Amino acid sequence: MIKNRIKVLRAERNWTQEELAERAGISRQAVISIEKYKYTPSLELAFTLAKVFAVNINDVFVQEEEQR
């Protein structure tokens, strides 16, 4: 599973979901879906989100090993 820190990064900047959506060029619904793990963004969108936050992509997304 790919985990993300979008909600945390957004809160650190005091951005609403709508503000992040506008900065990233996506819909607010997409932000909600990504934050709730209902949608995994494309690689291109993942890099866009990292750029919007001005951080390395590894600071936004991390792949976790599944428990067996």
Side-chain angles (χ1 to χ4, degrees):
M1 173 178 218
I2 297 177
K3 296 281 187 170
N4 71 68
R5 298 184 57 242
I6 291 175
K7 190 172 185 177
V8 172
L9 292 166
R10 188 172 56 73
E12 289 174 353
R13 288 156 179 78
N14 294 313
W15 293 350
T16 65
Q17 291 170 332
E18 185 66 35
E19 288 172 316
L20 174 56
E22 288 176 14
R23 292 170 188 260
I26 59 177
S27 68
R28 179 174 168 266
Q29 289 77 17
V31 172
I32 292 168
S33 293
I34 294 167
E35 286 184 354
K36 292 185 175 188
Y37 299 102
K38 293 182 178 182
Y39 170 70
T40 302
S42 67
L43 187 56
E44 181 178 4
L45 179 52
F47 274 102
T48 297
L49 290 166
K51 186 175 181 180
V52 166
F53 287 120
V55 297
N56 187 292
I57 194 166
N58 293 323
D59 294 329
V60 183
F61 298 96
V62 63
Q63 184 174 10
E64 289 193 352
E65 297 285 328
E66 290 192 27
Q67 301 283 332
R68 289 186 183 203

